[in-house]
Amino acid sequence: MKAIVIHRFGPPEVLSYEDLPDPAPRAGEIRIRVHAATVNRVLDVRLRAGTEGHRGATLPLIPGVDCAGIVDAVGAGVTRWRVGDRAAAAGVMPLDVCAEDEAGYTGPQGMMGVRRPGGFAELVCVPASAGVAVPAALDFHHAAVIMRHAPTAWNLLCNLAKLKAGETVLIMGAGGNLGTVGIQIAKHVIGATVIAAAGSYERVQLGLELGADHGVDYHARDLHDAVMEITAGRGVDVLYDNIANPRVLPRAFKTLGLDGRMVTAGAHAGPEAAIDFHHLYDRRITIIGRPGHRAEDRATCFAAAAEGKIRAQIERVLPLSRAAEAHRLVESGEVQGKIVLDPTMG
Ligand SMILES: NC(=O)c1ccc[n+]([C@@H]2O[C@H](COP(=O)([O-])OP(=O)(O)OC[C@H]3O[C@@H](n4cnc5c(N)ncnc54)[C@H](OP(=O)(O)O)[C@@H]3O)[C@@H](O)[C@H]2O)c1
């Protein structure tokens, strides 16, 4: 098979497009013929550069922390999957051989593309328990992006903040990955009033196009004043911030009203940002930080995407052989949506 291999950390040129033997699925594993794998700022680009801690990565490594495609072989003991099924996988999973349902597995866990071979390959083996069925109505490129971002947004808004229909949510970084999907979940799935906030006119416009009721460019005007104007002084019920921008988050925090909830799973512009403790206790605010999601959130997000309630923002789909170019694009910070690699294109 063709795969991208990293032999040493460094610039995008270390992503080497090579011929490797086809991997064989071990007991309890499925092999996926990859049609899509996403390229991510932290998990792929910074990891490859060697600037983001190595998260236990061992070289040489086939990167790619997710994949979507077609099951083309199953290992011994696998009954839930058949050759030809549409499947996606991502994130942390058992590293050793485990039963199909993972029951009783106490061995080491790690992320695909970091501690076990990843999705930047024509073929990848993953534990059967890590696979999620991709609905027929969802193409693989969208499935990979939905898998990567939507469950985290779902967990933050639905499970943790418990955002309800009729409540108001302030979505920070509205043009980003978690921002764009958060807007759609809040609006089209939950039925909340959504304020999309971002640091440019274009990113605010994108938030409005995705369904936000209001938009604020926090580089053009004071975020707190704008939100209080929009909410007639009441403030918002939920603040969704995965950026921790120290210049903007303090003003966003002050927009939380009584019994407000702030949820977060990211801090790439921080991690330190000041908040007003008087406001915290006076408004009885709860702050919840938690990455990840519940296992069932993936299938729920796929179903919502198949119904057209959530759409992934894809900037470009490139052949696997152009992985280095994909990394350069993500690194440049100039791309708005996701870059997806498709090994079936070469
Ligand atoms: N599955 C996931 O997506 C996931 C899961 C867990 C954790 N996270 C974490 O959540 C965070 C957001 O992920 P994402 O994929 O949504 O990020 P993103 O799309 O790359 O960026 C989100 C927004 O952050 C702002 N931003 C980017 N770089 C910045 C910088 N250097 N300084 C200040 N602001 C900057 C930009 O918004 P404005 O300029 O408009 O403010 C951008 O639109 C990351 O820290 C990520 O590690 C993500």
Side-chain angles (χ1 to χ4, degrees):
M1 69 166 180
K2 292 284 190 191
I4 295 293
V5 185
I6 299 177
H7 295 276
R8 64 178 176 88
F9 297 111
E13 294 68 43
V14 303
L15 297 164
S16 162
Y17 185 57
E18 299 181 3
D19 283 302
L20 293 181
D22 290 355
R26 300 177 294 179
E29 288 186 338
I30 55 174
R31 185 171 73 186
I32 297 174
R33 184 161 289 279
V34 180
H35 286 242
T38 70
V39 183
N40 301 280
R41 184 202 303 263
V42 175
L43 291 173
D44 291 302
V45 171
R46 291 190 189 169
L47 182 90
R48 179 265 302 149
T51 55
E52 181 61 26
H54 295 160
R55 296 171 187 249
T58 46
L59 303 182
L61 172 73
I62 300 176
V65 291
D66 53 47
C67 68
I70 298 173
V71 174
D72 90 331
V74 297
V78 173
T79 57
R80 197 160 60 86
W81 293 98
R82 298 201 189 297
V83 169
D85 285 349
R86 296 159 55 83
V92 174
M93 52 189 74
L95 297 180
D96 292 340
V97 168
C98 71
E100 182 182 25
D101 63 2
E102 232 182 274
Y105 179 80
T106 54
Q109 306 245 352
M111 222 178 248
M112 66 180 286
V114 180
R115 296 197 59 200
R116 57 178 294 152
F120 286 11
E122 286 181 309
L123 297 167
V124 62
C125 294
V126 297
S129 58
V132 182
V134 176
L138 198 56
D139 72 64
F140 291 126
H141 301 156
H142 281 83
V145 183
I146 292 291
M147 177 97 169
R148 172 110 315 273
H149 300 298
T152 301
W154 188 281
N155 189 47
L156 291 169
L157 291 170
C158 302
N159 303 336
L160 301 177
K162 300 192 190 311
L163 178 67
K164 292 185 268 307
E167 288 191 321
T168 302
V169 58
L170 173 58
I171 304 274
M172 302 290 282
N177 296 304
L178 284 183
T180 51
V181 78
I183 288 169
Q184 297 175 81
I185 291 170
K187 187 70 205 172
H188 306 309
V189 177
I190 298 173
T193 298
V194 178
I195 304 173
S200 79
Y201 173 81
E202 292 74 21
R203 290 196 285 281
V204 171
Q205 288 309 305
L206 175 60
L208 291 168
E209 280 162 28
L210 292 172
D213 302 277
H214 309 275
V216 181
D217 175 352
Y218 40 62
H219 288 164
R221 69 167 300 196
D222 182 81
L223 178 60
H224 174 266
D225 294 353
V227 171
M228 295 320 264
E229 218 173 274
I230 290 166
T231 59
R234 207 185 62 80
V236 301
D237 301 289
V238 172
L239 167 61
Y240 171 91
D241 182 288
N242 300 296
I243 305 171
N245 183 333
R247 285 181 297 126
V248 191
L249 180 59
R251 298 303 286 157
F253 187 76
K254 291 282 285 269
T255 70
L256 274 165
L258 196 65
D259 292 321
R261 291 90 75 196
M262 173 179 152
V263 284
T264 182
H268 59 277
E272 289 177 17
I275 57 157
D276 180 335
F277 268 62
H278 176 259
H279 190 72
L280 173 68
Y281 68 74
D282 187 56
R283 302 301 157 95
R284 308 190 311 214
I285 289 165
T286 305
I287 302 175
I288 310 171
R290 195 169 307 166
H293 53 268
R294 297 179 186 169
E296 62 270 25
D297 296 338
R298 293 176 168 185
T300 313
C301 288
F302 275 168
E307 283 175 42
K309 291 179 176 168
I310 316 172
R311 256 194 81 75
Q313 302 304 301
I314 296 178
E315 165 85 23
R316 214 168 299 177
V317 180
L318 293 173
L320 179 65
S321 55
R322 287 166 64 186
E325 179 184 341
H327 270 228
R328 274 184 221 106
L329 279 168
V330 173
E331 219 158 21
S332 75
E334 281 158 23
V335 289
Q336 182 116 309
K338 206 79 197 169
I339 306 287
V340 174
L341 294 176
D342 182 344
T344 69
M345 293 165 63

